[in-house]
Amino acid sequence: MTTPIEEPVRIHGPKSAVEMRTITADEAGQRIDNFLMRHFKTVPRSRVYRLLRKGEVRVNRKRVDAEYRIAEGDEVRLPPVRLDGGDSDGQGGPGRPSTSLLELIEGSVIFQDKHVLVLDKPAGVAVHGGSGMSYGVIEALRASRPRETLELVHRLDRDTSGCLLIARDRQTLTALHALIRNGGMHKTYLALVSGSWQLGTKRIDAPLATDNRQHGERHVRVAPAGKDSVSVFKPVQFFGSLATLMEVDIPTGRTHQIRVHASFAGHPLLGDDKYGDYELNAEMKQHGLRRTFLHAQQVAFEWPGSGVPFHVSAPLPAELSAVIDAITPMKRSAKRAAPRATAGAAAGSGAKSGGPRTGGARTGGPRTGDARTSEPRADGAGASEPRSGGARASRPRPVGATTSGARTGGARTGGARTGGARTSGPRTGGARADGPKSASRPPRKKSSRGRG
């Protein structure tokens, strides 16, 4: 019997006072929701959006939505909000992320300088609070680094692991956002899609609409009225008919972009419970896949102004590498299957495959042995030279020789044959050459009749 988890005791602090704030030049250009979350550091993201929806936040005495970008000189009304404290034991709660989350996020930092932090974000952690989670990466970083100004440069889905950039000052954030808008930031992902991808390197340019809701959740779809979205898919490794490992570059960064574009191409991401294939996902669970197989592998750009190149990468996490190892035997078996398909055709003679086969050769008529037969030419001569034991035979003589026929041992003498009787009647699919035969005689019976 499972023991119920005891809810932590919440300590509610006093409400803040109403404040009128004039936006400075350093603060200008950012979205109002990001500005509010920086100001109300201990207030959950969901509550910030509720303040905006209710119109409690005003800019120049007018209501604004979350995407409004504040300008220098704007007068922003900051409403009173309750500043919640942490749990009674100080281990987190509405006012502060848990100690375990703080340690996890700080341990995920793989690069930092005076401008940016780069995290190898763990799967299962949201980049910000909301959608049932009070805190995400950015809230945890702000709690552990209270003296810094930290902002998300871009976002990753909750189930996606890999490179996540955090700006450490407003100037850097503005510069990198401009770089993204101009297509100067290159983000590369690794994704495992269903089936054998046969489209080569494929650029998918399909606009995405994010305004659709299903069961209360956002469901992105391809729609002509959506925002421009481009993804470039390149196959890296094939695993038979089960899956293909892809490298994906995204010049644009829309919500669920790779997942929707992969599904649009007919090869949804494996493990994706929203846009993927339910039966395939269930099969992949047998190979250890418990989440969407999507990893932000690397980010590269040139710093605006100086042109100094910047590149950072994060290796595939252990749980996804284990999935690759589990399905690799399928790749090997697929490689072995291809040679077997031609091995029978080439047994001992390098014979050509095609059509039903008897003894490893193509059936253009009755065969004995492994020599290649081919459809006869219109003049009655063989379209290609018969082969015996892999050696090339001489061309048949134009008069008195059949174009093909049953052979014993593959030996051939000019017109008449020695040591190999011709089958009675004309061959199926092989016409005899024009002109009289040089050694024509009626078929013999089994009696001991002498030669004519």
Side-chain angles (χ1 to χ4, degrees):
M1 182 177 179
T2 304
T3 303
I5 300 175
E6 184 179 352
E7 287 292 327
V9 178
R10 309 299 187 189
I11 301 176
H12 299 289
K15 280 191 175 183
S16 62
V18 175
E19 181 181 350
M20 298 300 296
R21 179 80 169 269
T22 301
I23 301 303
T24 65
D26 290 339
E27 296 169 331
Q30 62 182 307
R31 286 174 35 151
I32 185 65
D33 56 348
N34 290 331
F35 170 78
L36 293 173
M37 281 181 283
R38 284 186 55 206
H39 182 77
F40 298 122
K41 292 183 178 180
T42 62
V43 176
R45 186 182 184 89
S46 57
R47 191 181 305 176
V48 169
Y49 281 106
R50 188 161 62 244
L51 294 173
L52 286 166
R53 286 195 304 269
K54 291 183 176 181
E56 295 184 47
V57 176
R58 301 275 176 151
V59 178
N60 300 326
R61 300 184 179 182
K62 296 179 181 178
R63 298 174 65 134
V64 294
D65 59 24
E67 296 182 353
Y68 175 82
R69 293 190 178 274
I70 53 180
E72 183 179 1
D74 279 351
E75 290 288 336
V76 179
R77 177 186 183 270
L78 301 173
V81 296
R82 187 175 297 281
L83 304 177
D84 292 332
D87 296 347
S88 58
D89 59 358
Q91 295 301 306
R96 180 177 173 82
S98 66
T99 302
S100 59
L101 178 60
L102 296 178
E103 292 176 350
L104 175 65
I105 298 306
E106 283 291 344
S108 300
V109 175
I110 57 176
F111 174 84
Q112 60 180 316
D113 61 15
K114 64 179 182 179
H115 299 295
V116 294
L117 289 171
V118 183
L119 275 71
D120 183 2
K121 187 187 84 66
V125 180
V127 295
H128 52 66
S131 300
M133 295 190 67
S134 298
Y135 300 105
V137 171
I138 192 63
E139 289 87 3
L141 283 173
R142 287 170 180 165
S144 63
R145 302 174 182 227
R147 297 181 181 277
E148 294 191 34
T149 301
L150 302 173
E151 299 288 351
L152 288 167
V153 174
H154 62 102
R155 290 171 169 81
L156 296 176
D157 290 344
R158 180 175 174 177
D159 269 357
T160 303
S161 56
C163 295
L164 178 68
L165 268 63
I166 310 293
R168 303 184 79 172
D169 57 74
R170 286 288 310 159
Q171 185 177 0
T172 298
L173 179 69
T174 302
L176 293 182
H177 279 175
L179 199 66
I180 292 174
R181 288 194 296 270
N182 296 328
M185 183 174 291
H186 305 283
K187 292 176 285 183
T188 304
Y189 293 72
L190 287 177
L192 190 68
V193 303
S194 63
S196 179
W197 180 281
Q198 298 298 318
L199 303 175
T201 299
K202 178 72 173 177
R203 175 187 170 95
I204 298 179
D205 189 346
L208 299 179
T210 62
D211 57 351
N212 187 38
R213 294 275 175 176
Q214 293 186 7
H215 308 293
E217 293 186 359
R218 176 179 292 178
H219 195 93
V220 181
R221 70 190 190 284
V222 174
K227 295 181 179 179
D228 292 339
S229 306
V230 177
S231 303
V232 181
F233 289 78
K234 178 182 178 181
V236 174
Q237 193 172 6
F238 294 87
F239 300 92
S241 61
L242 176 66
T244 307
L245 184 65
M246 307 293 295
E247 190 175 86
V248 189
D249 292 326
I250 53 170
T252 58
R254 310 301 181 195
T255 302
H256 300 172
Q257 176 176 315
I258 294 176
R259 298 161 64 188
V260 178
H261 277 175
S263 181
F264 180 70
H267 295 271
L269 265 61
L270 291 172
D272 187 349
D273 58 2
K274 180 172 289 188
Y275 307 102
D277 186 295
Y278 177 81
E279 293 183 357
L280 285 175
N281 290 345
E283 180 180 350
M284 288 304 298
K285 285 184 179 180
Q286 304 301 315
H287 300 293
L289 185 60
R290 299 288 186 268
R291 67 169 175 97
T292 304
F293 197 118
L294 185 60
H295 176 70
Q297 183 186 31
Q298 62 183 8
V299 176
F301 60 88
E302 292 183 355
W303 279 107
S306 67
V308 175
F310 178 90
H311 175 270
V312 66
S313 62
L316 199 66
E319 72 271 15
L320 296 187
S321 295
V323 173
I324 294 296
D325 292 340
I327 64 176
T328 294
M330 299 181 184
K331 170 191 168 189
R332 297 195 185 109
S333 63
K335 283 186 175 181
R336 287 197 299 268
R340 279 203 301 269
T342 58
S349 62
K352 180 178 177 182
S353 63
R357 308 186 63 84
T358 305
R362 192 176 70 180
T363 57
R367 298 255 343 216
T368 305
D370 289 331
R372 183 179 69 179
T373 62
S374 59
E375 295 297 332
R377 294 199 299 256
D379 61 358
S384 60
E385 296 81 1
R387 305 178 74 84
S388 175
R392 180 171 178 171
S394 60
R395 291 185 178 275
R397 303 177 70 172
V399 177
T402 56
T403 60
S404 60
R407 298 180 58 126
T408 305
R412 187 181 186 91
T413 63
R417 303 167 61 92
T418 62
R422 181 165 58 88
T423 58
S424 60
R427 285 195 40 174
T428 303
R432 293 185 295 178
D434 296 335
K437 296 191 293 180
S438 60
S440 174
R441 59 178 180 273
R444 293 181 296 176
K445 298 181 180 179
K446 292 186 177 180
S447 63
S448 59
R449 180 181 177 180
R451 293 181 180 269

